[in-house]
Amino acid sequence: VATDGLAISVVISGDGNTAFVADYEGGLQIIDVSDISNPTLLSTLDTDGLAFDVAISGDGNTAYVADEEFGLQIVDVTDRSNPNLLSGFVTAGYAIGVALSSDEKVIYVADVSSLQIIDISNVQSPALLGSFTTSGTAYGVTLSADEKTAFIAVDSAGLDIVDVSNSANPSLISTFDTT
């Protein structure tokens, strides 16, 4: 399936039937992949910014889009053919990576200059819990299995490893130079 923009990131719904594509200028693309030999575009949500990354809730009904200068966009995708923007949260920098906590109450956003930790327990009103200034340009983030540690890809600086067990006060554990 050709997309409108530049497909950068993809996540598959828990049932395996839907692909959610962060499509840069093309926003959020929702693609039916239930027949993998014949994927079909279900819908597109034109986000205000540039969609770099996407995470999906466990029930597959909410998408979280890292939307560059417009920060985090939270989208109701219950009706795959008619996604609706629920809310947004403008981060300090440019949001380009997201990681969702397993309880789906917190999302971690790599936003170029920092890691933003955002309370999304009320998707209509996301709120900043804490932030951490990274050692370089933060491109991506993932969490440890126990979700107490964030691993942040930070361009030529390599990897920042951050204790996020206290969301209000994340702290650097170590860095690793990947050069």
Side-chain angles (χ1 to χ4, degrees):
V1 173
T3 60
D4 292 338
L6 175 67
I8 295 179
S9 176
V10 62
V11 65
I12 303 297
S13 61
D15 64 9
N17 292 327
T18 310
F20 298 89
V21 178
D23 199 44
Y24 200 63
E25 291 175 340
L28 177 65
Q29 305 282 314
I30 303 175
I31 302 168
D32 181 343
V33 293
S34 58
D35 176 358
I36 58 173
S37 63
N38 188 30
T40 56
L41 181 65
L42 296 173
S43 63
T44 299
L45 178 72
D46 185 13
T47 59
D48 291 330
L50 302 173
F52 273 91
D53 198 9
V54 60
I56 191 78
S57 62
D59 65 7
N61 292 331
T62 308
Y64 302 89
V65 180
D67 202 36
E68 211 231 15
E69 69 181 284
F70 290 88
L72 175 69
Q73 301 292 305
I74 302 175
V75 182
D76 180 351
V77 293
T78 305
D79 178 353
R80 305 287 199 247
S81 62
N82 188 29
N84 290 300
L85 183 65
L86 291 172
S87 64
F89 184 89
V90 177
T91 59
Y94 295 104
I96 55 179
V98 292
L100 183 60
S101 67
S102 61
D103 67 4
E104 301 180 5
K105 293 181 180 178
V106 178
I107 195 154
Y108 300 80
V109 179
D111 82 333
V112 177
S113 60
S114 66
L115 174 68
Q116 301 282 297
I117 304 170
I118 302 168
D119 178 350
I120 53 168
S121 56
N122 177 353
V123 294
Q124 298 287 344
S125 184
L128 184 67
L129 293 170
S131 65
F132 174 80
T133 301
T134 55
S135 62
T137 302
Y139 283 104
V141 59
T142 193
L143 299 173
S144 62
D146 66 4
E147 299 184 354
K148 294 181 180 181
T149 307
F151 297 85
I152 309 158
V154 285
D155 68 25
S156 61
L159 180 68
D160 281 359
I161 302 171
V162 177
D163 179 346
V164 293
S165 58
N166 178 352
S167 301
N169 191 27
S171 59
L172 183 66
I173 296 170
S174 63
T175 60
F176 182 80
D177 185 349
T178 56
T179 56

